[in-house]
Amino acid sequence: MGNSIRRVLAVETSCDDTSVALITDQGFVEACCSANQDLAHQPFGGIVPEIASRNHSETILPLIETTLKKSGKGWSEVDGLAVTSRPGLMGSLMVGVVTVKTLALAKKLPWIAVNHIEGHLLAPLLKDAEYSAPPGFDFPYLALAISGGHSHLFKVEGVGRYKLIGRTVDDAAGEAFDKFAARLGLGFPGGVQVDKLAQTGDPKRFAFPRGMIHEANYDFSFSGLKTAGARALEGLSHDERRAAVHDLCASFQEAIVDVLLAKMERAAEASDLGRVVLTGGVSANSRLRERASDMARRRGWQLAVPPLRYCTDNAAMIGLAGVIRLNRGERSELSLGPRADSAPDDFQ
Ligand code: KG4
Ligand code: ZN
C-alpha cells in the first residue's frame, strides 16, 4: 500500500479496562491484550475512578510487554503509537496518554490521540484470524454505539466523518442494565447477568415503558425505564423477586432492545444506506444481536457486529483509527492532554 506507518501500538485506558494492541495498516490485529478490573470495582457496585487509575498505572507497562511478546514483534517493528485521549475518566485517560507520550519521546515515534467513540464506530472493520466484516462491507454505514457510558446513533461516512443523528437524552443503555442488575443484587457489570437470566424468562410478563419510541427523532431515553424497573422490584417481596428474576430480566431487556432497534430501523430506512453496525459493550447482548440479525434479514440489510472482544472496550479499535490517521499524516502534539468529553470537531 506504500503506507509509511505499517504497524501501530495502541493503548486504551479511558474507563476500567486496560488494553494494549498491535495492529497493521491493513486493520489486522496482531495482538490485543486486556486487563479487566471488574473484581476491583465489584464491592462498590460501580466504577471507582481512583481505583481505576491506580490499576491502570500498575498494569500498563507489563501489559505493553505482554502484548509485544504475544505478537512476536519488537519495538524496531513499531512505526507509531495511538492512545485514547477522550472522552472518559480523567485519571484513567491520563495514565494512557502520559505513557504513550513518554514512549513517543523515548522511542522517537509519531503518536496520535484518538476519540474512544470513534474506536467503537470503526471496530467492525477490524480483522484477525477469526473475524472480518461481511464481504463488501464498507463506508457509509449506520452505527448504533451503545455502552455503559454512551448510547449514540451515527452515520459513519468515512474515517473522521461521523454524523451524530441520535443520542440518549439521559442514561446510557448499559447504565440502565447495570443499575437494574445492581437492584436485583446481580453484581457489576450487570448487563451480562441480565442477558444470561433473560434467556429463560418471559419478556412479556412485566410491562416496562419504551421511552420516546414513537417520537419522530433518533434519540433515546432510559430514565423512565430505570424508574419503572425500580418500582417493579419494590412491589415484590424478596421471594417473589427471586421467583420472577428471569421474567424481570427478560422484560427489562426487551424494553431496551425494542427502543434501540426501533430507532435504528427507522434511521436506516430514512438514510437508505443498507448497512448497519452494532458496537459498544451492550452490543454483546444476545437478544439484541438475535433481533438485529432478524431485522437485517427481513430488510435485506448487511449487518456487521464486531466479536465480543472488539465490542467491549479494547485497544485494537483505537489502533485502527490511529494507523489510518497517522498514514494520512496526522500527528498529535506533546502538549495535548486528556479530556472528559469529546472535542468540538470530533463529530458533525
Ligand atoms: O463499551 P464498554 O465495555 O464500556 C464503556 O465504554 O462503557 O461497555 C460496558 C457496558 C456495561 O454497562 C455492561 O453492563 C454492558 O456494556 N454489557 C452488556 C452485555 N455485556 C456488556 N449489556 C447487556 N448485555 C450484555 N451481554
Ligand atoms: Zn466504550
Side-chain angles (χ1 to χ4, degrees), residues 7 10 18 28 56 62 64 67 110 112 136 138 147 157 168 172 182 220 233 303:
R7 182 176 291 107
T18 322
F28 189 84
H56 286 310
I64 290 174
T67 310
I112 185 103
D138 204 350
S147 72
E157 293 173 340
T168 177
F220 313 102
L233 297 185
L303 171 71

Side-chain angles (χ1 to χ4, degrees), residues 58-135:
E58 285 168 3
T59 313
I60 189 68
L61 292 178
L63 198 62
I64 290 174
E65 289 309 313
T66 306
T67 310
L68 283 170
K69 206 176 273 172
K70 196 172 162 202
S71 70
K73 306 290 177 207
W75 276 111
S76 62
E77 293 161 289
V78 174
D79 305 311
L81 301 162
V83 63
T84 309
S85 73
R86 61 195 187 279
L89 300 170
M90 284 301 275
S92 289
L93 289 164
M94 184 66 85
V95 176
V97 170
V98 167
T99 303
V100 163
K101 285 206 273 193
T102 310
L103 286 171
L105 278 175
K107 309 282 184 192
K108 299 193 172 50
L109 288 171
W111 74 286
I112 185 103
V114 172
N115 182 303
H116 177 83
I117 299 168
E118 171 175 36
H120 279 304
L121 294 179
L122 299 180
L125 304 177
L126 288 166
K127 293 182 215 104
D128 63 21
E130 278 102 42
Y131 169 78
S132 62

Side-chain angles (χ1 to χ4, degrees), residues 236-312:
L236 298 173
S237 71
H238 184 73
D239 287 348
E240 283 169 336
R241 256 192 218 191
R242 265 221 340 227
V245 70
H246 295 272
D247 296 341
L248 282 163
C249 288
S251 303
F252 191 85
Q253 175 178 274
E254 204 69 6
I256 296 185
V257 172
D258 272 353
V259 178
L260 290 173
L261 291 184
K263 298 274 174 160
M264 178 154 157
E265 185 163 11
R266 225 180 290 149
E269 193 175 4
S271 60
D272 201 23
L273 295 178
R275 283 188 287 265
V276 286
V277 162
L278 293 181
T279 183
V282 179
S283 61
N285 186 268
S286 55
R287 182 72 179 148
L288 180 70
R289 284 178 174 230
E290 180 189 309
R291 290 202 30 208
S293 29
D294 287 348
M295 180 181 85
R297 212 173 303 122
R298 181 164 41 81
R299 291 289 199 153
W301 294 336
Q302 228 179 3
L303 171 71
V305 190
L308 295 190
R309 59 190 174 283
Y310 303 138
C311 270
T312 50

Side-chain angles (χ1 to χ4, degrees), residues 174-256:
E175 206 178 328
F177 271 116
D178 293 341
K179 295 251 167 76
F180 187 66
R183 284 183 194 277
L184 275 168
L186 300 179
F188 177 85
V192 194
Q193 308 301 330
V194 174
D195 187 351
K196 263 192 212 147
L197 291 166
Q199 277 166 23
T200 50
D202 174 7
K204 294 205 175 81
R205 167 136 175 232
F206 294 91
F208 287 123
R210 270 75 172 153
M212 297 176 72
I213 198 164
H214 298 299
E215 287 186 26
N217 56 36
Y218 306 122
D219 291 335
F220 313 102
S221 166
F222 297 107
S223 70
L225 174 64
K226 190 171 72 179
T227 311
R231 291 242 173 83
L233 297 185
E234 278 160 22
L236 298 173
S237 71
H238 184 73
D239 287 348
E240 283 169 336
R241 256 192 218 191
R242 265 221 340 227
V245 70
H246 295 272
D247 296 341
L248 282 163
C249 288
S251 303
F252 191 85
Q253 175 178 274
E254 204 69 6
I256 296 185

